[in-house]
Amino acid sequence: MNGKAPGAPDERQFATWLTERIARYAGRAVDDDEDLSAWGIDSVAMLSLCGDIEERFGPLFDPADLWAHPTVRDLAHHLAMRHGMRRNSGRVRAAFVFTGQGAQHPRMTEGLHRELTAYRRHLGTADEAVAPYLGRSVAGLILGGDERVHQTALTQPALFAVGYALAMTLVEEEGVRPVAVLGHGIGELAAAVVAGALALDDAARLVCARGAFMQYLPSGGGMMATCASPFEAADAAADEPQVTIGAVNAARATVLSGPVEGLERVRERLAAIGIASTFLQVQHAFQSPLMEPVTPRFEAAARHVAGGRPELPYYSTVYGREYDEPLTTAYWTAQITTPVRFADAARRMLAQQGPSHVVEIGPRAVLTPFLRRIAGTRGPECLAVCRGPESDAVHLAGVLSKLDAGPLAEG
């Protein structure tokens, strides 16, 4: 190309245009996977590049997007997504993002269960699938105000059942068809069912085995959310060999996982440099090597689960990208000890799928703030099916209205 992009560029054409323009400022050839810090251009040139992008393609871009998408390839994904959204404005393309552990609370989704026949039915279906492996009704636990919902063996199947029921209410009752799915930690299992990669019964077996084996690990582990970058978090934890990164949720939203005593010391180090942190309501050091004792037993329990290929774009927080291979036992075993690469997966989903809306599926809004930060001010509208304990049919009707779905019939 000669530096002039065509009227309707695709991702490849954006990449070609960006590579040429950045190379001109850098005074050398630039690779499409080369990080921003290696481009060798100063802040004035960066601002000029931002101006070039806006002048050529219109208001698709925030300057902060350079740091959120630091390679030519990532930035081309982002610009193509923005351009596609502008061309298709008014057309609803909803992506589903399933909440992970920590979102649970007693009586979660009580208002929806009370007011919506469809939600009651789908929660009942999930309850029937989970009961043989859990040995009790998860719906009774969820709706009975039982504080044991915070016990790992019960938390994970409870969140799975709620995520499944909420998603099925949107898909089967209201016709909201997701263009892509993504799950945070335990949320990946409900996402896999919606994507057609796992049968409901198989997912129920996996989630119950996962929670039960984790429940009986030694106590003393925990997780801590920080306002640190991954580099800052890792640096603060350098003297704590058992404290590792458990999740990267956004540019400055890193979760650490490990022994509580070590996390406390890291918290003090972060506070000393002005970085806030808070402990999450979990009982173990999830998404860390401290989960290794679980994996042999889980792998044996999951051996006969037949995981298939996703039937719609599935964004893996194990790999931080779209994953179109079968979701086998090996995948679910690796997922137990692997950090949650939520920010990477969400960024790629937004760039590659160009959704008009991103819908958080879970009992309260946990991921929506991160999604808004990743998407930027011109990104898709980010909605939560449940904002929290107060959510009911009226709130869900508002969400459906924004998705051009409904009307919602009350039970």
Side-chain angles (χ1 to χ4, degrees):
M1 293 178 68
N2 62 4
K4 187 175 182 180
D10 61 16
E11 185 179 307
R12 178 186 56 79
Q13 292 166 323
F14 272 115
T16 301
W17 186 89
L18 285 166
T19 300
E20 182 177 310
R21 189 54 56 101
I22 293 166
R24 184 181 304 173
Y25 283 117
R28 63 173 181 82
V30 175
D31 293 331
D32 67 358
D33 59 353
E34 188 175 353
D35 195 86
L36 167 66
S37 61
W39 291 352
I41 60 179
D42 60 22
S43 58
V44 174
M46 288 286 188
L47 289 173
S48 298
L49 175 62
C50 293
D52 291 345
I53 293 170
E54 183 159 351
E55 181 179 0
R56 185 69 198 104
F57 302 112
L60 303 179
F61 186 74
D62 287 328
D65 291 339
L66 275 174
W67 301 101
H69 309 277
T71 71
V72 170
R73 186 180 301 165
D74 286 343
L75 191 54
H77 279 322
H78 178 72
L79 291 175
M81 177 269 289
R82 290 281 197 264
H83 190 268
M85 287 176 59
R86 188 173 66 179
R87 289 199 319 271
N88 296 307
S89 61
R91 179 185 171 200
V92 171
R93 289 174 51 81
F96 286 5
V97 177
F98 292 80
T99 309
Q101 194 157 346
Q104 75 279 356
H105 56 85
R107 301 190 187 282
M108 53 185 172
T109 68
E110 181 180 42
L112 292 175
H113 188 270
R114 181 179 61 249
E115 298 171 8
L116 298 178
T117 301
Y119 180 72
R120 286 197 297 274
R121 183 172 67 255
H122 291 299
L123 185 62
T125 299
D127 195 15
E128 290 175 3
V130 165
Y133 307 108
L134 192 63
R136 60 166 297 161
S137 166
V138 73
L141 171 82
I142 290 167
L143 302 167
D146 195 328
E147 289 292 335
R148 288 179 297 172
V149 74
H150 296 300
Q151 293 181 4
T152 302
L154 300 176
T155 301
Q156 295 189 11
L159 285 172
F160 168 77
V162 166
Y164 170 85
L166 289 171
M168 288 299 102
T169 300
L170 294 184
V171 172
E172 293 191 358
E173 309 301 326
E174 305 301 335
V176 181
R177 305 292 177 181
V179 297
V181 296
L182 184 162
H184 192 293
I186 193 67
E188 281 208 88
L189 285 156
V193 176
V194 172
L198 278 179
L200 175 59
D201 183 72
D202 286 339
R205 178 189 297 186
L206 291 178
V207 75
C208 290
R210 191 182 191 275
F213 296 149
M214 290 180 179
Q215 176 73 47
Y216 295 105
L217 285 174
S219 59
M223 301 185 80
M224 185 173 73
T226 77
C227 296
S229 69
F231 174 81
E232 290 168 330
D235 187 55
D239 294 331
E240 304 291 341
Q242 289 189 298
V243 174
T244 59
I245 291 176
V248 179
N249 292 327
R252 298 190 64 84
T254 305
V255 178
L256 291 171
S257 186
V260 171
E261 295 85 350
L263 291 172
E264 288 281 12
R265 289 188 289 269
V266 174
R267 187 181 191 183
E268 292 173 4
R269 291 179 200 129
L270 290 172
I273 57 174
I275 295 177
S277 56
T278 184
F279 278 88
L280 301 181
Q281 192 166 18
V282 298
Q283 297 178 325
H284 300 284
F286 300 113
Q287 314 299 150
S288 82
L290 293 180
M291 294 286 106
E292 286 287 359
V294 167
T295 58
R297 297 174 67 193
F298 176 82
E299 189 170 21
R303 187 171 297 138
H304 301 296
V305 169
R309 291 179 184 272
E311 296 172 3
L312 54 82
Y314 181 93
Y315 283 80
S316 162
T317 48
V318 174
Y319 295 103
R321 58 172 172 80
E322 185 178 357
Y323 189 80
D324 60 4
E325 297 300 314
L327 293 173
T328 62
T329 299
Y331 180 89
W332 298 113
T333 303
Q335 195 235 21
I336 290 172
T337 57
T338 304
V340 178
R341 296 178 60 183
F342 177 77
D344 288 340
R347 190 174 295 123
R348 286 183 168 89
M349 182 184 73
L350 295 174
Q352 293 168 1
Q353 302 302 326
S356 62
H357 297 76
V358 181
V359 185
E360 180 173 357
I361 308 290
R364 65 179 175 182
V366 174
L367 302 175
T368 299
F370 300 134
L371 290 163
R372 287 174 178 153
R373 286 164 60 181
I374 293 167
T377 57
R378 298 187 181 96
E381 185 169 3
C382 300
L383 308 168
V385 171
C386 289
R387 291 176 303 204
E390 75 284 359
S391 288
D392 56 14
V394 173
H395 168 71
L396 183 56
V399 172
L400 291 168
S401 176
K402 292 180 179 181
L403 297 173
D404 287 341
L408 187 65
E410 295 191 8

